[in-house]
Amino acid sequence: MSTPQKPFSRVVEAIPPSGIRKFFDLAQSMQGVISLGVGEPDFPTPWSAREAAIHALEHGATTYTSNSGLLELREAVTDDLADRYGVRYRAADECLVTSGVSEGLDLTLRALLNPGDEVIVPEPCYVAYQPCVAFAGGVPVPVALDPGDAYRLDPAIIGAAITENTKAILFGSPSNPTGSAQSAADIEALAALAREHDLWLLSDEIYDRLTYHGTHTPVSAAAWERTVLLGGFSKSYAMTGWRVGYVCAPEPLAQLMHRIHQYTMLCAPHMSQIAALEAMRTAQDDVDEMVADYDRRRRLFSKGLDELGLTCPVPGGAFYVFPSITATGMSSEEFAEGLLTQEKVAVVPGNVFGPSGEGHVRCSYATALPQLEQALERISRFIGS
């Protein structure tokens, strides 16, 4: 018997598989690989969070929570945003706990977009942004940022892409894949542009605690009334597998996201929420230690790549570098495939983050210093060969 012959979703069929996962899966099948591919901390989740989850598991926290998430966790999130940035959201109806930032992004776009609405996506950008816009019925409008200008969200470049169909601008700061962190002045200018054209600002701030130059500037501090703030625990607290994040937005939009969430995901895992709450309460010293270690790796690895002739600006945040490999004469895919097969170092070709990423590769320095030093030696051999 054959499966039904009517076509599958044309939208989904048109989206290619994740380029990051392609190289991750290939690297997993090989022995002795130094992986600089997947953006995942190499630190364990802080013990206080793990211990809280173990205790919760042993005492029956295996049930649903409210759809919005534990009120204590939402209050901790909104209090933290107020304390660090002066940004105030109501925990009761403007903050939603999600199964990671990825779910928060999906909820945001599905609640916001009508068919044909355009979303400007500055690139290079995280691989999920444009597919998620398309899945929600929108039209992603990629806009190439200038690497010579540190991938600034230049309002002139963004403004040139605005049409009568533009609904929102979607971006991350600090950025995956470039590590660029937007300045307060650029955030203010972007907020003014959004007000002028009545646009939403969809701000992925999952790396907000991983900022190395000055203080992170949240978009909601400049344009609270039109900002969706996406945050979580995966990167800063080394909790990628726990699948817990949050989204904060003005109440009318937040409640529409809640409506979708209650019919689909229902709630984030109960014990993961308890672990996240404990992390916020007790693990800031752990975060500070991780950030200090990332900073050492960031400076060593970007300097090492520069010395090899791969131009590599020192990133301002996250845990990625995005060096240019144009001096080698290879494309991004040729470089990444050759480096993996010949020297067993896994990186991600820049073109998977959008056409403007061609000529670059993304390397995650969320791995131990000795591994990074060995990776530099292997990259040097590969370039020399």
Side-chain angles (χ1 to χ4, degrees), residues 284-361:
Q284 189 54 48
D285 287 347
D286 299 83
V287 174
D288 292 343
E289 290 176 10
M290 286 187 271
V291 171
D293 208 340
Y294 290 143
D295 188 23
R296 287 189 288 272
R297 302 174 191 185
R298 171 184 73 106
R299 288 181 278 111
L300 176 142
F301 199 63
S302 57
K303 181 174 182 287
L305 291 171
D306 249 342
E307 291 173 348
L308 294 178
L310 304 181
T311 304
C312 184
V314 181
F319 40 54
Y320 308 105
V321 291
F322 201 61
S324 169
I325 50 90
T326 54
T328 68
M330 287 179 274
S331 71
S332 294
E333 294 229 0
E334 288 169 343
F335 185 95
E337 290 177 2
L339 182 61
L340 181 59
T341 56
Q342 293 182 39
E343 291 293 343
K344 295 188 177 181
V345 175
V347 298
V348 182
N351 64 315
V352 309
F353 304 102
S356 65
E358 180 53 60
H360 297 76
V361 293

Side-chain angles (χ1 to χ4, degrees), residues 148-161:
D149 196 22
Y151 297 104
R152 280 183 55 239
L153 290 171
D154 186 337
I157 296 175
I158 304 297

Side-chain angles (χ1 to χ4, degrees), residues 84-104:
R84 287 194 293 144
Y85 304 130
V87 175
R88 301 192 180 279
Y89 290 96
R90 294 191 303 266
D93 56 7
E94 293 177 332
C95 179
L96 174 66
V97 178
T98 58
S99 293
V101 175
S102 297
E103 192 213 352

Side-chain angles (χ1 to χ4, degrees), residues 122 125 129 153 170-176 180-182 202-205:
C125 64
Y129 289 170
L153 290 171
L170 168 60
F171 58 96
S173 177
S175 163
N176 174 6
S180 62
Q182 303 302 317
L202 314 182
S203 181
D204 180 353
E205 302 185 26

Side-chain angles (χ1 to χ4, degrees), residues 193-341:
L193 184 70
R195 288 194 183 95
E196 179 185 351
H197 296 278
D198 192 27
L199 305 178
W200 285 89
L201 297 171
L202 314 182
S203 181
D204 180 353
E205 302 185 26
I206 184 66
Y207 297 100
D208 70 328
R209 294 179 188 268
L210 305 184
T211 302
Y212 308 106
H213 300 308
T215 303
H216 171 73
T217 300
V219 179
S220 46
W224 181 95
E225 79 287 354
R226 61 185 63 251
T227 297
V228 177
L229 189 159
L230 299 155
F233 304 88
S234 293
K235 311 299 183 177
S236 300
Y237 291 98
M239 295 181 68
T240 53
W242 298 81
R243 306 317 303 143
V244 58
Y246 58 85
V247 56
C248 294
E251 187 269 340
L253 180 57
Q255 292 310 299
L256 291 180
M257 288 188 265
H258 180 275
R259 192 175 303 172
I260 302 168
H261 176 74
Q262 67 184 180
Y263 284 118
T264 53
M265 194 59 69
L266 304 181
C267 66
H270 193 160
M271 66 289 294
S272 295
Q273 293 188 54
I274 291 172
L277 176 60
E278 186 63 25
M280 293 197 75
R281 288 173 170 170
T282 63
Q284 189 54 48
D285 287 347
D286 299 83
V287 174
D288 292 343
E289 290 176 10
M290 286 187 271
V291 171
D293 208 340
Y294 290 143
D295 188 23
R296 287 189 288 272
R297 302 174 191 185
R298 171 184 73 106
R299 288 181 278 111
L300 176 142
F301 199 63
S302 57
K303 181 174 182 287
L305 291 171
D306 249 342
E307 291 173 348
L308 294 178
L310 304 181
T311 304
C312 184
V314 181
F319 40 54
Y320 308 105
V321 291
F322 201 61
S324 169
I325 50 90
T326 54
T328 68
M330 287 179 274
S331 71
S332 294
E333 294 229 0
E334 288 169 343
F335 185 95
E337 290 177 2
L339 182 61
L340 181 59
T341 56

